[in-house]
Each structure stands twice: as C-alpha cells, then as structure tokens.
C-alpha cells in the first residue's frame, strides 16, 4: 500500500501544504509546497522548510521558481509523434504513441538484435525510475546498451573513490561536518553559483577558524570566500595535487602511523610525487611555487582536513587519476576515515548519486553491484525472477553509445528519459547528427527539449511535485519527494509507461506503478550490495529527514560517516593511486592557442531545458557569453559585449564577450546551458578517461575571433512554446 502524505492533496489543485524537495541539484533542498493564492496558472508556491537539516530553509532562485514548470503552457501535456521522417510532430493518444514505440523497439530487436535497442537515462530520475529503467533494459529489451548522463557528471570521482576506498558515495560524511574541519581544499567547484545554500557550511568553517583553499582557473564567487585561491591552467589539477604531496612529504607532514596502519601503496605514490617538485609544478600549472608551499603548509599542519572535488578535475580525460592524486594527499596526511576528515565529491544532478547506484549505468546492477560479478547477477536475477544468464553484460558508456547511434553495429532505436544530450553531450553537433540517424528516437520528458524536438515519439511525463519518489543527495542521504498535486490529464509517470511498454513487449508483470512498491523491490535488489537500501522505507525517510546508506535492515541506524573503522576494500585498507602528470587530450597549439573551460551560472541548470523556460531565471541569465581576460581581449581587439566566435576542431560557438580579470589570460570560459549558436558543447572534446569513460568537458584547445553582431544568438526571454 502506498503511504500518502498526511498533508498531500491528491487532486489537480493542491489544497494543503506538502513537504518535499527541490527538483534540481544534488543538494535536494527541503521545501514546502502550498496552494498558490493567485498563481496565474501555476498551481503551487514554494515556502521555506527550516526544519530540513541540509538547507535549513535556504533556497536558490531555481528552487523557488520551480513551480513555473507545472503550468500547462510551458510543458508537454500529451504525447506527440511524427508520421514519417521530416514530418512535423503531431498530437497522439497514449495508446497510439505506446503502440508505435513498442512496435519500433520490437522490429529493431528482431531485425538487428537486442543490442541495437538502447536506453539513455538521467541523473535527475528518481531512484525508482532509474531502477526500473535498468530492469526494463535488461529484462524486457535484453540489451546491454543502457547508460545515462551521470556518466558525464561524477563518474571519474566514482571510479577513483572505488579504487581508493572500495566504495563510492559522493560525501563520506554529512555536509554539517564541514564547519568542523581544520582545512578544506575545494577543487574545481563553485557552490556559490551551483548550490548557494551549501555555502553556509564553508562560511561556518572559516568562522570556526578553519582555512579554505579553492582551486579554480577562474576567481569565482566561491574563490572570493577562500583564504587562498590557486588558479591553475585547465587540466593542471593533477600536477597540482602531486606537487602538494611532494611538499607534504619533503616537509615531514606525512602521518606515518596512519599510512602504515590503514593504507597500501604509499611508496609508489611517494616516488611519483617526488618527481613533481614545486618549480616543475609551477611550469605545468601556472601556480606560483610560493602559493603551492603556502597551501601545503595550511593543509599539512591542520589537525583535520578535507578535499572536495567537483566537475573541474573530474571532467577530464585523466579525471580518475586526478581525483586519485587528491585522495593520495588526504591519505598521506591521515585525513580519511577519521571524524571531520576525508575526500568527497560534490555531485551535480538531483539524483546523481542514486542514479548511479541502481542499474542505469552500463556496467552496474542495483545496489552498486558489478554486472560482471556472478554472485551479483544471481542475486538480482532472483529478485527479477529471470535466469542470471539472461541478464546482458556491460554495454557502451554514454558517449560511446551516442557516438554509435544509427551505425550498422550501433544502436538503431533509442529510448531516452530525463536527458538532453543535444545540448549537454560533448561534441554536441556530432551527437545531434547521430540522433538524427536513428531509425527510432523516443524521448520521455516534461518539456519539448532540443533532443525531444528530434524525436519520432515524445512521451510527456510527470514532475517532482506530481509524484512520490526518492532521490539520494550528495551526502548519500536518501530523501523522499512527496506528491502535492495531480498532473494534467495527458501526462503519465515513467513508471506507468515502462509498465505499459513492458506489457506490449510480452512482459506483463514486474513493473510496479506505485513508487513505494518500486522502492521496496529496489531495496530487495540492493540488499547485500555496496549501496544497500534494504532497511530504508518511505515512512522511515519521512520520520528521520532522510536515511544514509548503507542501511541493510530496518533497525540499522544508517551510515552518515563511512570508513571510520575500516575502508571497504577486502583488507580494510585504503589504496594509494599510482598516478603521474600527463597533458590533457588536447592542449593549445598554434592554430588553437587558448584553453576553453565550461561551467554553470547561478540562474540556469544543466542543459537549460527547464530553467530557460522560467522568465525570472532568463532575466538573470539571458544567454551565453564568453569570458576573456582584459589582456587577451586587448590583444584580439575585442571590446566588452562584442560578439566573438570560439572555434575548436569540432565546431564554432558565438556569444558576446564578457571581459573580466577573474579568468586566466590563456583561458576562455563559456557556460553550457544554451542551444543554438551559443552552444558551448559544440566545441568540447569527447576524449574519454580510460577508467571512467568520462568525456573531457573541462578543457579543449580553441581560438577566439571577432564576428558580426548579427551572428549572435538572441537571448530567450520568458516562456518557450512547447510545440
Ligand atoms: S541549491 Fe539546488 S536543491 Fe537547493 S534550491 Fe537551489 S537548485 Fe534546488
């Protein structure tokens, strides 16, 4: 039986307040939805929820304005389909749309084999949806080819985490521990813009006497808060971490007892670090040696220390090694597996953590199990009621899957949910070409995103306020979103459409529509795995403001802090990584003499498919721009606000220049939220990390040229039409 919120109103118009969470980033801020008094088509308004411990009532503009997407005139309200290639999308009934999808998937499978059918998920899907999407791919379609956009987000940190500690959870401690550490190094993250309510923890750290070091090629709003800002070239993070470890060793700041008692592999890490002396690191990174020494002293002498990474060091073709180098620094100084210490990753998407734990990743089964582990396959097969040998092996990673779309041996029919790769994938122009070459593209989304516009069938799905479901925030805290109102008549949840498609494809059972029932099955599938949710239920989450995994039984307290007794490796010891500096996949040269790095701005989110439809967010961040240092602008003869073209080996993007001395003179920056002429991902390099298969979003070689003003993309103001 589904647990209904005592305050939720199961009608199309909300009549009482409902405690829930923001639909956007990994902080998953608590919020309260109340009926809108005069909503002008927007049914609910957002109120603060001060009792939720993560954000304590604070919200950013994205969360406050999220109900705008509930209005009928900005969202999809019924299925759309295309009668033939090149024909316009037209309205269709659900039965016609689902029959078309099922027939297309079945035909592709019969003609080209099961692996010619692909599934592409998203890090914003709830745990229940991610779990059933993975089950649908393996049980109904029989395909190995399922992956998701989280591969573009935290996969390098995940790989490094598992290599070092035997387990991957974004943060091994609650955010509330941050103010109590002695020194924190934040590498390539800008929470002041991406998750402003989290900044309070960094401020409190400094108020308590702790030190904050920020590593970023740009002097961001977050870097402004720091005691020390290190500003390396894009791709310099690995050498920087090695240089800091060099100084920690050379200056006698290694915690010998910790290294001996709780780690393996220090000697190889030491040898590599000793080859990265300060002057060499200064040449590689551009960070002055004296700043490096100051950072090493601050971190090495602190009684406790943390390192947090975000997309900067992770979205590189050496991202796993880069994160490994920062973990090495933590291990050498004894800052891991102890209170108020450790390495953590600030995940990005709303369910970036849970989305990678329950089976929508090409190499994983629910519970963070390896799809190649025979015991894991047996366990999950028993829960699914299928033979273990029927579960396919690992499939292609996200970019490799997209790159192979429509090719003779690639995926020919794709079901895509909660993702917009036409804007968010690297080398996006190429990805759009591959999407166009498919025999069948099916997109489930709440708005007509750029990818949905390419689809043969578009399936409109419910949003956060219209359904129950769990997500797992960046701390590993499983939280519960509650339904506040019914969706419009023509809109269905992904759980419902997976059940309908499964039935049409010959699997009439095993796909629950009730989220709580799906979560209970997910718990059984995860039992005994790394990410064990078996002891977590909806009532418990609601009563406890979230439960930290692993939580194997209902009487287990959950695990806010990992590794305090032992690491999750077979011998309980953490493993140093053997890493050394290497250049990025593409370094500047004569033809492309500058680095491009990309990122987010405060008022937009990811591909912008949702936030670009919110007028107040568009007013704050109306369009793309190119950040250039004044010296670079002067050399190129570019004035502030003038249109410039940024050109890489893969494409060209045009946007107004924004001249600022907060960026390095050898680097330009573009936010990646926009489509069209200003699409930053037209430029980015899909060079992949060999371990995580993460593309190198964070650096590529470009040149910058002045262009005519008519080439600049006009900002989108206010609402976008849906069809
Ligand atoms: S910080 Fe993230 S979770 Fe919180 S309101 Fe903003 S977008 Fe939502």
């Amino acid at each position: 039986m589904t647990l209904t919120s005592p305050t939720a109103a199961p009608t199309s118009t909300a009549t009482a307040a409902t405690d829930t969470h923001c639909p956007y980033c990994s902080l998953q801020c608590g919020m309260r939805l109340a009926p809108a008094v005069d909503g002008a088509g927007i049914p609910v308004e957002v109120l603060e929820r001060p009792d939720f411990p993560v954000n304590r009532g604070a919200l950013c503009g994205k969360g406050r304005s999220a109900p705008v997407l509930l209005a009928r005139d900005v969202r999809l309200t019924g299925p759309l389909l295309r009668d033939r290639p090149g024909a316009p999308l037209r309205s269709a009934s659900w039965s016609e749309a689902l029959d078309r999808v099922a027939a297309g998937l079945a035909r592709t499978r019969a003609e080209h084999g099961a692996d010619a059918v692909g599934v592409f998920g998203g890090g914003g899907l709830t745990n229940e949806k991610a779990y059933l999407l993975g089950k649908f791919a393996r049980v109904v379609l029989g395909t190995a080819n399922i992956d998701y956009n989280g591969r573009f987000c935290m996969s390098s940190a995940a790989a490094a985490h598992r290599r070092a500690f035997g387990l991957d959870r974004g943060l091994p401690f609650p955010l509330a521990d941050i103010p109590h550490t002695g020194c924190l190094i934040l590498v390539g993250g800008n929470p002041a813009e991406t998750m402003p309510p989290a900044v309070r923890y960094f401020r409190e750290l400094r108020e308590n006497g702790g030190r904050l070091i920020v590593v970023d090629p740009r002097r961001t709003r977050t870097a402004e808060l720091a005691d020390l800002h290190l500003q390396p070239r894009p791709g310099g993070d690995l050498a920087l971490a090695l240089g800091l470890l060099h100084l920690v060793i050379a200056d006698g700041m290694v915690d010998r007892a910790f290294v001996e008692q709780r780690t393996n592999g220090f000697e190889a890490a030491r040898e590599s670090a000793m080859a990265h002396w300060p002057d060499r690191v200064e040449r590689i990174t551009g960070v002055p040696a004296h700043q490096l020494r100051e950072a090493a002293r601050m971190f090495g002498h602190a009684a406790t220390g943390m390192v947090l990474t975000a997309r900067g060091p992770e979205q590189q073709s050496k991202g796993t090694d880069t994160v490994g180098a920062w973990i090495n620094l933590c291990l050498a100084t004894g800052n891991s597996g102890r209170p108020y210490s450790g390495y953590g990753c600030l995940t990005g998407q709303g369910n970036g953590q849970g989305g990678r734990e329950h089976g929508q990743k090409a190499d994983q089964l629910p519970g963070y199990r390896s799809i190649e582990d025979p015991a894991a396959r047996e366990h999950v097969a028993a829960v699914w009621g299928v033979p273990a040998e029927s579960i396919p092996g690992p499939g292609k990673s996200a970019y490799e899957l997209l790159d192979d779309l429509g090719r003779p041996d690639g995926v020919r029919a794709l079901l895509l949910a909660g993702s917009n790769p036409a804007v968010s994938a690297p080398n996006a122009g190429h990805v759009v070409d591959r999407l166009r070459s498919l025999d069948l593209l099916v997109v489930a989304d709440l708005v007509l995103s750029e990818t949905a516009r390419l689809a043969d069938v578009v399936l409109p799905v419910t949003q956060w306020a219209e359904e129950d479901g769990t997500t797992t925030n960046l701390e590993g805290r499983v939280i519960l979103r509650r339904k506040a109102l019914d969706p419009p008549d023509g809109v269905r949840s992904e759980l419902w459409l997976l059940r309908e498609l499964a039935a049409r494809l010959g699997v009439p059972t095993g796909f629950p529509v009730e989220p709580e029932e799906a979560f209970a099955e997910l718990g059984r599938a995860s039992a005994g795995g790394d990410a064990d949710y078996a002891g977590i239920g909806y009532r418990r989450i609601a009563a406890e403001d979230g439960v930290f995994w692993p939580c194997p039984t209902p009487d287990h307290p959950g695990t806010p802090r990992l590794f305090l007794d032992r690491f999750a490796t077979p011998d309980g010891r953490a493993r140093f990584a053997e890493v050394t500096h290497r250049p990025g996949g593409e370094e500047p040269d004569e033809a492309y003499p500058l680095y491009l790095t990309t990122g987010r701005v405060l008022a937009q989110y990811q591909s912008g498919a949702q936030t670009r439809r919110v007028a107040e967010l568009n007013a704050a961040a109306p369009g793309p721009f190119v950040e250039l240092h004044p010296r670079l602008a002067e050399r190129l003869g570019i004035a502030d606000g003038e249109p410039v073209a940024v050109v890489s080996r893969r494409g060209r993007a045009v946007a107004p220049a924004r001249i600022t001395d907060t960026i390095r003179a050898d680097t330009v920056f573009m936010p990646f939220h926009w489509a069209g002429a200003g699409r930053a991902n037209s430029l980015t390099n899909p060079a992949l990390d060999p371990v995580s298969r993460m593309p190198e979003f964070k650096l590529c070689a470009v040149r910058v040229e002045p262009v005519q003003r008519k080439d600049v993309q006009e900002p989108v103001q206010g609402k976008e039409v849906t069809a």
Side-chain angles (χ1 to χ4, degrees):
M1 191 186 82
T2 301
L3 173 72
T4 52
S5 163
T7 53
T11 62
S12 57
T13 305
T15 57
T18 303
D19 285 351
T20 188
H21 297 268
C22 174
Y24 292 117
C25 85
S26 66
L27 206 55
Q28 286 296 283
C29 292
M31 59 169 58
R32 184 161 295 149
L33 297 182
V37 178
D38 177 16
I42 301 168
V44 292
E45 64 175 334
V46 171
L47 305 178
E48 292 179 1
R49 187 180 156 194
D51 56 317
F52 186 67
V54 176
N55 60 309
R56 295 183 221 161
L59 296 164
C60 78
K62 297 183 288 280
R64 287 187 188 281
S65 62
V68 170
L69 273 294
L70 296 165
R72 297 183 65 91
D73 58 348
V74 294
R75 67 183 298 178
L76 294 163
T77 53
L80 303 171
L81 63 77
R82 210 181 293 280
D83 289 318
R84 59 187 181 285
L89 286 166
R90 66 162 173 86
S91 295
S93 68
W94 270 100
S95 60
E96 183 185 15
L98 291 171
D99 287 348
R100 168 86 174 271
V101 173
L105 296 176
R107 188 168 54 247
T108 302
R109 197 172 51 176
E111 291 176 1
H112 302 286
D115 285 347
V117 179
V119 177
F120 198 93
L125 300 178
T126 61
N127 290 319
E128 293 81 356
K129 293 177 184 180
Y131 167 73
L132 286 175
L133 198 61
K135 181 179 179 182
F136 181 82
R138 275 73 180 236
V139 172
V140 179
L141 301 176
T143 181
N145 285 322
I146 173 169
D147 213 54
Y148 81 126
N149 65 16
R151 179 79 68 173
F152 297 160
C153 203
M154 298 80 52
S155 56
S156 290
H161 234 131
R162 288 178 75 80
R163 192 162 69 179
F165 306 122
L167 184 77
D168 158 43
R169 199 180 81 184
L171 296 180
F173 41 71
L175 281 166
D177 280 8
I178 286 176
H180 306 290
T181 196
C183 180
L184 188 147
I185 307 179
L186 174 60
V187 191
N190 185 13
E193 297 217 41
T194 56
M195 50 176 72
V199 170
R200 187 192 65 230
Y201 295 106
F202 300 99
R203 288 192 201 281
E204 289 175 5
L205 160 74
R206 296 201 62 222
E207 286 162 13
N208 290 345
R211 312 299 295 277
L212 176 64
I213 301 170
V214 171
V215 179
D216 200 303
R218 302 163 64 219
R219 195 172 71 243
T220 61
R221 294 185 200 192
T222 309
E224 300 276 7
L225 302 172
D227 295 281
L228 179 62
H229 173 209
L230 306 180
Q231 198 166 6
R233 296 187 180 96
D237 321 77
L238 174 51
L240 195 68
L242 285 160
L244 289 173
L245 182 57
H246 176 108
L247 289 165
V248 161
I249 295 168
D251 294 347
M253 294 183 281
V254 171
D255 186 334
R256 292 276 169 199
F258 179 89
V259 168
E260 279 167 25
Q261 290 161 17
R262 299 201 58 187
T263 72
N264 290 323
F266 174 67
E267 203 43 44
R270 190 193 70 78
E271 273 181 34
S272 176
M274 295 321 285
H276 294 79
W277 55 92
D279 290 347
R280 181 182 176 210
V281 171
E282 178 173 333
R283 282 197 299 279
I284 295 170
T285 66
V287 175
H290 71 88
Q291 286 191 351
L292 204 63
R293 289 194 173 88
E294 190 182 352
R297 274 195 301 272
M298 284 167 67
F299 193 73
H301 288 310
T304 52
M306 294 177 176
V307 173
L308 303 181
T309 65
R311 304 302 80 74
E314 298 165 15
Q315 290 179 323
Q316 298 184 21
S317 60
K318 54 186 168 180
T320 305
D321 281 357
T322 301
V323 174
W326 288 104
I327 292 174
N328 283 357
L329 181 68
C330 287
L331 294 176
T333 50
N335 285 310
S336 225
R338 286 173 165 171
Y340 310 125
S341 300
Y343 162 76
C345 157
L346 297 177
T347 56
Q349 297 188 78
N351 198 26
Q353 183 67 46
R356 70 182 187 254
E357 296 166 357
H358 297 298
Q360 62 172 335
K361 207 171 169 203
D363 51 358
Q364 286 179 3
L365 290 173
Y368 224 135
R369 290 181 153 94
S370 166
I371 204 165
E372 296 181 278
D373 174 2
R377 295 170 64 87
E378 288 290 347
H379 175 88
V380 174
V383 175
W384 288 351
V386 300
E389 59 274 18
S390 72
I391 298 176
K396 295 176 180 128
S397 73
Y399 184 77
E400 291 164 300
L401 192 157
L402 294 172
D403 185 37
D404 273 353
L405 294 180
R407 299 187 198 277
D409 295 333
V411 164
R412 311 285 293 259
L414 183 71
L415 172 60
L416 187 143
S419 187
N420 188 16
V423 178
S424 63
N427 197 12
H430 171 71
V431 167
V432 167
D433 289 344
R434 300 320 314 156
L435 288 164
R436 287 188 200 281
S437 73
L438 284 163
D439 298 340
L440 175 69
L441 174 60
V442 182
V443 173
D445 209 326
L446 55 107
V447 293
L448 195 67
S449 70
E450 287 74 13
T451 307
R453 288 174 191 273
L454 303 173
D456 300 290
V457 184
V458 181
L459 304 175
V461 291
T462 45
Q463 304 183 41
W464 99 114
E466 298 163 345
E467 58 193 7
D468 287 344
T470 64
T471 61
T472 306
N473 82 347
L474 75 173
E475 306 167 289
R477 183 195 302 254
V478 185
I479 55 102
L480 181 58
R481 291 187 189 160
R482 306 311 303 258
K483 178 176 176 177
L485 72 169
D486 282 342
D489 283 346
V491 172
R492 301 283 187 276
S493 111
E494 284 96 331
L495 303 188
W496 180 88
L497 70 90
L498 288 175
R499 184 192 68 179
E500 294 295 311
L501 286 174
R504 282 166 169 79
L505 290 165
V507 183
T509 60
F511 286 87
V513 171
E514 290 297 336
E516 191 172 9
E517 197 182 329
F519 188 76
E521 184 182 312
L522 178 162
R524 293 195 295 279
S526 75
D530 284 348
D532 191 333
Y533 283 40
I536 306 175
Y538 276 23
R539 284 181 192 277
R540 184 169 171 193
I541 298 172
E544 299 178 19
D545 282 332
V547 180
F548 291 83
W549 71 258
C551 181
T553 59
D555 57 356
H556 188 283
T559 315
R561 294 172 185 85
L562 293 168
F563 314 137
L564 293 182
D565 301 322
R566 69 191 305 278
F567 295 99
T569 53
D571 64 3
R573 297 163 75 93
R575 298 178 284 230
F576 279 91
E578 271 191 69
V579 294
T580 189
H581 165 69
R582 60 179 190 272
E586 188 179 76
E587 293 286 333
D589 56 21
E590 209 172 314
Y592 300 94
L594 299 165
Y595 288 104
L596 168 74
T597 194
T598 64
R600 285 166 53 184
V601 297
L602 175 62
Q604 299 285 354
Y605 181 70
Q606 307 298 58
S607 79
Q610 295 170 68
T611 49
R612 280 186 275 122
R613 288 171 163 82
V614 179
E616 77 174 72
L617 299 177
N618 272 332
F625 57 87
V626 181
E627 251 181 36
L628 304 103
H629 191 276
R631 285 204 302 278
L632 175 63
E634 187 181 358
R635 183 156 57 79
L636 297 174
I638 291 167
D640 194 47
E642 273 189 2
V644 294
V646 183
V647 185
S648 79
R649 287 183 175 83
R650 292 153 295 281
R652 183 174 192 266
V654 178
R658 186 175 287 184
I659 298 176
T660 170
D661 67 0
T662 57
I663 191 165
R664 294 178 56 92
D666 57 5
T667 302
V668 296
F669 167 84
M670 287 189 76
F672 55 67
H673 308 291
W674 287 274
R679 183 177 60 189
N681 277 319
S682 299
L683 307 164
T684 46
N685 185 3
L688 299 181
D689 179 283
V691 181
S692 69
R693 318 306 286 166
M694 161 77 86
E696 191 154 66
F697 288 96
K698 276 295 181 281
L699 72 136
C700 68
V702 296
R703 65 172 181 268
V704 175
E705 305 165 343
V707 294
Q708 299 298 311
R709 189 165 290 278
K710 65 180 173 50
D711 291 341
V712 181
Q713 181 178 351
E714 288 300 322
V716 176
Q717 297 287 0
K719 293 168 181 171
E720 288 186 4
V721 293
T722 54

